[in-house]
Amino acid sequence: MLKKVRILIVGFGVIGRGVARSISEKREFINGKYGIDFELVGIGEREGSIVCEKGIDPMEACMLKSLNEHPHWKEGAKAIDIIKGVDADIVIEATPTNIDTGEPGMSHMMAAFETKKHVVTSNKGPLTVAYTRLKKAAEENDIKFMFEASVGGAMPVLNMVRGTLQANEILGIEGILNGTCNYILTRMMTEGLPYEHVLSEAQELGIAESDPTYDVEGIDTACKLVILANSIFDMDISYKDVSVTGITNITSEALKLAYDDGYVIKLVGEIQNNNKPAVAPHLVPKDHPLAVGGTLNIISIRTDLAGEITVTGKGAGAVETSSSILSDLISIANEIP
Amino acid sequence: MRVTMDLELKDIPGQLVLALRPISELGGNIVSVTHHREKKTPRGLIPVQIAFEIDEARVDTLVSRLKDDGVVIAQIGRDRLRERAVVILVGHIVHSDIRDTIDQIDGTGYAEVNDLAMAMPGIEQYSSARLIISAIGKKELSNAMELLRNIAHEKGLLLIERVKTEVS
């Protein structure tokens, strides 16, 4: 007997579409292995929404050039209204990250909690702006709130600490949490090219945004540290509590001087012994586990029992991120009676 | 600091203990002892090599106590600056007075800039430098790094330090 779990996807950009695609492609696998059938009953976007209580074919929605071509499209129907109004079990919040206000994700999540819907998200905005408030609201409404995809894309971090490492005290965290910066520094070093040159190359390849500030100034890494600090170290901090230095002033000469002495330079985010979390370029010995290249992410977690645990993987990408989102979805679905 | 000593001991019982006891009594931590019983020095004594960590201020006391006890010290090696850190600086390094930066570190008395490599691609562009800083102990190195952080902050230089975790 399959357990039907109704889901809403709010925000149908790269991540939202990636999740819809993976739900479609992994349907049989999830049916067979977990006895769970995810039924997509709504998609919320900025200009309107699709609602169909009998189920939307996720692949069909992905293939549309624009969502308004869908027969159930309702122009002007607000995402927040479908979150409140549609009968669903889980809301996947995948709207763009806004680290100043957390909106619109913040209101979406609060609306989901108030109407007793579990929330899975990749959206760093609300988590960075108001983690404690969200967590409290979820608890008060007895609702599950999971966000593995918000830190390190496909890399398991939060669930690994909460689950597999639960007997450990976490002493410190050190990692490369932004693939764009890692790509730029790796290319600058291997090719001896200046920062501006590699940045424009990365933009051409779609690895860096046209406005790269968020990545290269270390803001994205800092947001991930805020999430780690609040959820793993039980701190109550926001972006302004992180010391942040980006990579824009790194020269190819600096990379060469470091390399000649056995080091590479990486943008590292760290939280040590409850100190102020910090993002800054660091020297990493070439044979150190953190010395991963390309767009890879990596995180090293220092624990009291297990010692050092290091995980590496793809930190971005629609399919990779959907791995973390689906993992959260299955965890919650398993607990729904 | 780390000290190595080549000692020569008489071939009678109790001599090794006689040589090691003052080190521990003065708070030293013995790292290695090699005792060459099969060899004899030209003076007919047994060569012993020891290495230990000890407070720099106590080395002279140790030497005189060993001499008083009749232990022959053939050689002393003092590895004064044994903690080392590599850093990279980026910015207007020369114009912000690199000499002053080095003098401030050297002026501590417990740390020194041992090595400096620089690249200056153009007058208007940022320079990059690799500095190796050595200090007499871990605590002193950490103090020197804190000093360097302050200097870099004041002079508007980007300081790149090593990650904290060690390679296992």
Side-chain angles (χ1 to χ4, degrees):
Chain A
M1 196 28 201
L2 278 178
K3 186 199 289 184
K4 276 226 183 292
V5 176
R6 289 152 304 166
I7 58 171
L8 287 173
I9 298 179
V10 180
F12 210 61
V14 176
I15 303 295
R17 277 172 196 263
V19 171
R21 183 178 286 268
S22 294
I23 284 173
S24 172
E25 285 172 353
K26 301 288 287 188
R27 188 166 212 159
E28 271 180 46
F29 174 84
I30 294 169
N31 286 173
K33 191 152 182 169
Y34 305 104
I36 294 165
D37 190 48
F38 289 115
E39 190 165 61
L40 181 60
V41 295
I43 301 174
E45 251 299 328
R46 208 170 359 186
E47 301 82 20
S49 301
I50 300 171
V51 176
C52 183
E53 310 253 347
K54 287 195 199 112
I56 300 163
D57 180 350
M59 193 54 98
E60 192 191 323
C62 284
M63 303 310 278
L64 294 175
K65 224 164 134 194
S66 168
L67 278 187
N68 63 17
E69 294 164 21
H70 197 277
H72 289 89
W73 172 259
K74 261 200 228 154
E75 188 78 25
K78 287 201 170 124
I80 193 146
D81 295 327
I82 74 158
I83 293 171
K84 286 180 182 162
V86 176
D87 184 20
D89 301 298
I90 309 175
V91 174
I92 299 164
E93 217 295 328
T95 59
T97 292
N98 175 330
I99 63 152
D100 296 322
T101 63
E103 295 296 355
M106 186 74 202
S107 305
H108 292 163
M109 291 174 191
M110 293 306 277
F113 296 148
E114 283 156 18
T115 52
K116 309 284 178 198
K117 296 178 181 76
H118 306 286
V119 172
V120 172
T121 191
S122 58
N123 187 348
K124 288 181 284 292
L127 291 163
T128 308
V129 174
Y131 174 82
T132 309
R133 202 175 125 206
L134 286 164
K135 189 170 172 251
K136 198 162 157 259
E139 280 168 4
E140 279 170 3
N141 287 290
D142 198 18
I143 285 302
K144 298 258 179 271
F145 179 36
M146 296 183 80
F147 39 88
E148 178 66 60
S150 65
V151 180
M155 244 176 18
V157 181
L158 301 170
N159 293 340
M160 181 177 74
V161 170
R162 190 175 13 234
T164 322
L165 295 174
Q166 58 192 339
N168 288 266
E169 188 186 339
I170 307 300
L171 307 169
I173 283 180
E174 201 168 49
I176 299 171
L177 302 170
N178 184 278
T180 307
C181 290
N182 201 16
Y183 175 85
I184 292 173
L185 292 174
T186 305
R187 281 287 289 174
M188 280 176 73
M189 188 197 67
T190 53
E191 305 303 324
L193 292 168
Y195 169 78
E196 290 78 16
H197 185 110
V198 177
L199 173 63
S200 62
E201 180 191 88
Q203 285 168 326
E204 219 159 88
L205 289 168
I207 292 170
E209 308 270 346
S210 52
D211 176 5
T213 312
Y214 186 69
D215 291 317
V216 298
E217 295 291 358
I219 302 165
D220 174 67
T221 304
C223 290
K224 289 165 180 167
L225 286 186
V226 170
I227 298 171
L228 291 169
N230 288 339
S231 63
I232 293 179
F233 293 88
D234 289 324
M235 294 182 187
D236 183 9
I237 63 163
S238 64
Y239 175 76
K240 64 175 184 344
D241 301 308
V242 184
S243 138
V244 189
T245 309
I247 64 164
T248 50
N249 287 337
I250 306 267
T251 59
S252 49
E253 295 82 21
L255 285 155
K256 180 162 191 318
L257 286 166
Y259 194 80
D260 290 346
D261 203 53
Y263 295 91
V264 290
I265 297 177
K266 300 288 178 190
L267 185 68
V268 173
E270 60 172 336
I271 307 172
Q272 304 284 357
N273 305 320
N274 296 328
N275 285 349
K276 180 173 182 168
V279 181
H282 274 77
L283 294 169
V284 178
K286 284 178 209 168
D287 57 354
H288 192 282
L290 288 182
V292 295
T295 59
L296 279 176
N297 280 24
I298 186 161
I299 195 162
S300 218
I301 301 164
R302 199 154 48 86
T303 71
D304 57 349
L305 297 179
E308 197 98 8
I309 299 282
T310 303
V311 188
T312 184
K314 290 191 176 155
V319 178
E320 292 81 359
T321 305
S322 76
S323 159
S324 292
I325 292 180
L326 260 65
S327 162
D328 283 350
L329 281 178
I330 293 166
S331 298
I332 294 174
N334 274 327
E335 291 189 36
I336 293 174
Chain B
M1 74 188 289
R2 170 76 59 96
V3 178
T4 54
M5 280 186 182
D6 290 353
L7 305 177
E8 297 182 2
L9 304 179
K10 293 179 195 127
D11 192 8
I12 52 172
Q15 291 301 296
L16 187 59
V17 174
L18 190 69
L20 299 182
R21 187 182 295 136
I23 298 174
S24 26
E25 282 175 359
L26 288 167
N29 180 30
I30 296 166
V31 179
S32 153
V33 178
T34 47
H35 188 202
H36 298 286
R37 278 207 62 86
E38 71 288 358
K39 292 182 197 160
K40 285 268 169 78
T41 68
R43 278 177 274 205
L45 300 170
I46 297 172
V48 173
Q49 290 166 327
I50 56 176
F52 52 94
E53 302 275 346
I54 195 164
D55 189 337
E56 194 182 4
R58 291 181 168 174
V59 177
D60 290 340
T61 314
L62 174 68
V63 169
S64 56
R65 274 190 59 178
L66 287 171
K67 282 181 179 162
D68 290 349
D69 288 343
V71 176
V72 177
I73 304 172
Q75 202 175 346
I76 303 183
R78 303 182 190 204
D79 187 2
R80 199 174 153 265
L81 302 171
R82 45 182 306 273
E83 292 296 333
R84 173 185 181 275
V86 183
V87 298
I88 299 275
L89 285 171
V90 181
H92 294 299
I93 299 168
V94 179
H95 294 292
S96 63
D97 200 350
I98 179 77
R99 187 171 169 172
D100 166 72
T101 306
I102 296 171
D103 283 350
Q104 286 200 47
I105 302 290
D106 290 358
T108 60
Y110 53 73
E112 288 171 15
V113 176
N114 285 143
D115 188 57
L116 168 69
M118 266 191 79
M120 295 177 283
I123 293 171
E124 292 300 315
Q125 286 169 282
Y126 276 166
S127 307
S128 307
R130 182 184 68 225
L131 272 69
I132 295 176
I133 295 176
S134 299
I136 57 175
K138 281 195 166 55
K139 201 176 110 245
E140 288 80 5
L141 183 64
S142 145
N143 291 345
M145 291 301 295
E146 187 56 36
L147 174 61
L148 188 59
R149 272 177 222 127
N150 292 335
I151 297 171
H153 183 73
E154 274 171 29
K155 297 187 174 182
L157 303 172
L158 170 64
L159 174 70
I160 308 176
E161 298 178 49
R162 189 195 184 284
V163 281
K164 307 240 173 7
T165 46
E166 296 297 328
V167 183
S168 50

